[in-house]
Amino acid sequence: MMREPWLLVVVFLLSCCNMALPLFTLLLTALPVVHCFPTAFQDLEQNGKNQTSIRFLALGDWGGVPYPPYITPVEKATAWEMGKIAEQMGADFVLALGDNFYYSGVNSADSPRFQDTFERVYTADSLNIPWYILAGNHDHAGNVKAQIDYSRKSDRWRFPHYYYELNFRIPNTKRTLSIMMLDTVMLCGNSDDYDDEKPRGPLSTIEANRQLTWLQQRMAQSKADFLLVAGHYPVWSVSEHGPTECLLKKLRPLLVKYKATAYFCGHDHNLQYLKESGVGYVVSGAGNFLDPDTRHWHHVPKDTLKFFTGQASTLGGFVHGEVSVSHIKRIVHASVLLNCFICIQFVVLILVDGLWMCHMAAYSQYSLVNSALHGE
């Protein structure tokens, strides 16, 4: 279908340590599968009758460490700021983009890591919302099924299958949002971060083809006004792991063909926004570690990279997103006729003389605006 025109705004909120605020520089088997892919609309807990948007957080590579205290300073600071942003700006759910438990996942739904790295870390009331989970390469070093099973033990941990579909109605509007949650490790294979750093091919070609066929069918049938896709591996990235050849071959053509609004991922431990062939690519992998590596800077199409930050001095980062149909005129005025937009905010945590400082740089396909947001 022809999707509504859309506007993507990227906002960086930052503060820095003893420095000026920076601007960023076919094969299918007969195994039962239908029950694994829920397509019903998800219920949203509306905080006000006048709400006309869907707001969410996106966090990748947040999985602590496998030894006491089982969290990193970056994860702790990021969790605190997530709670604050969710309280101030609103959040209906969280997209958890993989590498949920470093370094080798978990082996049981009863693993204490669920408490030590998740439940006791993201404790703000504003984060007591659905967390929609997908698996990363470190999760596949353990038992991903154990993470799926934990959905029955936690009210907010939502991981129904290795890959699945989410559908939402934007409150008080006639617009809809669909999110396809993928298992890119099942699709492309695992990767050894200490060896070649590239996926080595799927463990099961049958399962990889099944997922790809499911995704193609669901995207082709989607009538959503906004179509997001999420996975762990990046399609495009300028950082350590770079573009994922498997996804360039298998996933990118679908994103372009079916006019996906954006693709969300982690894997590289920084925050990036790229736009290529009409699709936004959001890398949010700064939940536990930070990496300023830009070795693949010239391995993405020219002028597609719009934002990058991964300074070693930062204390983590995540994304706040909002899908709305009501405020577009205040963004683009009358010069562009748009009636839908997504606002994406990258939240980067840096200290300035012991104080949290925030800075906002808003990107759209039309303008770049920088302004001080707040400091506390």
Side-chain angles (χ1 to χ4, degrees):
M1 64 172 291
M2 284 296 294
R3 302 192 187 283
E4 295 284 348
W6 58 280
L7 173 65
L8 180 62
V9 180
V10 181
V11 182
F12 290 89
L13 304 179
L14 8 106
S15 51
C16 48
C17 189
N18 299 319
M19 63 178 69
L21 290 173
L23 170 69
F24 315 74
T25 20
L26 242 78
L27 226 59
L28 296 177
T29 69
L31 296 176
V33 296
V34 174
H35 70 281
C36 298
F37 315 127
T39 58
F41 282 89
Q42 308 297 310
D43 293 327
L44 292 176
E45 182 178 339
Q46 295 188 37
N47 297 318
K49 293 182 179 180
N50 296 324
Q51 181 178 334
T52 57
S53 67
I54 292 176
R55 298 153 300 182
F56 62 93
L57 305 178
L59 173 72
D61 303 76
W62 54 274
V65 287
Y67 45 80
Y70 303 104
I71 62 173
T72 65
V74 168
E75 184 189 8
K76 183 177 181 179
T78 300
W80 183 88
E81 188 69 12
M82 285 175 63
K84 180 179 174 183
I85 293 296
E87 174 67 26
Q88 293 177 349
M89 305 182 69
D92 297 301
F93 55 84
V94 178
L95 298 181
L97 302 172
D99 283 0
N100 311 316
F101 299 100
Y102 285 103
Y103 292 101
S104 301
V106 295
N107 291 315
S108 167
D110 296 318
S111 170
R113 290 293 304 281
F114 286 104
Q115 296 297 318
D116 295 334
T117 302
F118 175 60
E119 302 286 6
R120 297 187 186 125
V121 180
Y122 302 93
T123 56
D125 289 342
S126 59
L127 298 180
N128 189 24
I129 53 180
W131 285 58
Y132 295 109
I133 314 294
L134 57 80
N137 53 303
H138 286 278
D139 301 308
H140 273 276
N143 181 4
V144 175
K145 184 61 164 56
Q147 295 192 38
I148 293 173
D149 292 343
Y150 186 70
S151 300
R152 295 193 288 268
K153 294 177 173 287
S154 172
D155 291 336
R156 56 178 173 165
W157 185 275
R158 312 286 177 89
F159 197 176
H161 189 62
Y162 293 90
Y163 50 97
Y164 55 99
E165 178 180 355
L166 299 167
N167 292 290
F168 302 92
R169 293 184 178 90
I170 301 176
N172 300 305
T173 76
K174 296 181 180 180
R175 307 306 172 89
T176 56
L177 164 69
S178 290
I179 308 175
M180 308 294 175
M181 302 286 282
L182 304 183
D183 190 319
T184 56
V185 178
M186 183 180 291
L187 189 62
C188 297
N190 215 325
S191 59
D192 186 346
D193 287 342
Y194 304 102
D195 188 10
D196 59 7
E197 302 172 350
K198 297 293 183 181
R200 299 183 293 272
L203 185 64
S204 169
T205 302
I206 290 177
E207 292 295 340
N209 287 338
R210 174 187 291 166
Q211 180 178 187
L212 195 63
T213 299
W214 169 83
L215 177 63
Q216 191 276 332
Q217 291 175 343
R218 296 311 304 161
M219 294 183 75
Q221 295 172 13
S222 176
K223 299 184 183 302
D225 298 288
F226 293 95
L227 177 59
L228 305 183
V229 181
H232 182 65
Y233 290 149
V235 175
W236 295 113
S237 170
V238 301
S239 194
E240 178 183 3
H241 299 102
T244 305
E245 292 297 328
C246 164
L247 296 182
L248 288 174
K249 178 181 178 181
K250 296 180 178 181
L251 178 58
R252 179 187 169 277
L254 298 181
L255 298 175
V256 174
K257 178 178 180 179
Y258 296 111
K259 297 178 172 33
T261 307
Y263 175 73
F264 285 75
C265 68
H267 199 44
D268 274 326
H269 298 161
N270 38 56
L271 300 173
Q272 304 177 45
Y273 172 59
L274 305 94
K275 186 174 181 183
E276 186 266 328
S277 297
V279 180
Y281 293 90
V282 180
V283 178
S284 178
N288 201 59
F289 309 107
L290 267 297
D291 184 3
D293 191 313
T294 57
R295 71 184 69 178
H296 290 282
W297 190 275
H298 298 294
H299 294 171
V300 303
K302 185 179 180 181
D303 298 327
T304 57
L305 180 66
K306 308 303 180 182
F307 287 102
F308 174 90
T309 186
Q311 295 94 331
S313 61
T314 64
L315 293 173
F318 58 96
V319 163
H320 180 276
E322 182 170 13
V323 182
S324 173
V325 298
S326 61
H327 299 105
I328 190 62
K329 290 184 179 178
R330 287 194 289 162
I331 300 296
V332 297
H333 307 290
S335 60
V336 183
L337 298 177
L338 298 178
N339 49 16
C340 295
F341 79 99
I342 289 184
C343 176
I344 301 297
Q345 303 194 17
F346 291 86
V347 182
V348 186
L349 312 180
I350 317 174
L351 286 175
V352 181
D353 297 328
L355 301 176
W356 292 109
M357 299 292 292
C358 293
H359 188 72
M360 181 174 71
Y363 171 78
S364 75
Q365 61 210 81
Y366 309 105
S367 64
L368 178 63
V369 180
N370 298 279
S371 62
L373 181 60
H374 69 265
E376 296 184 20

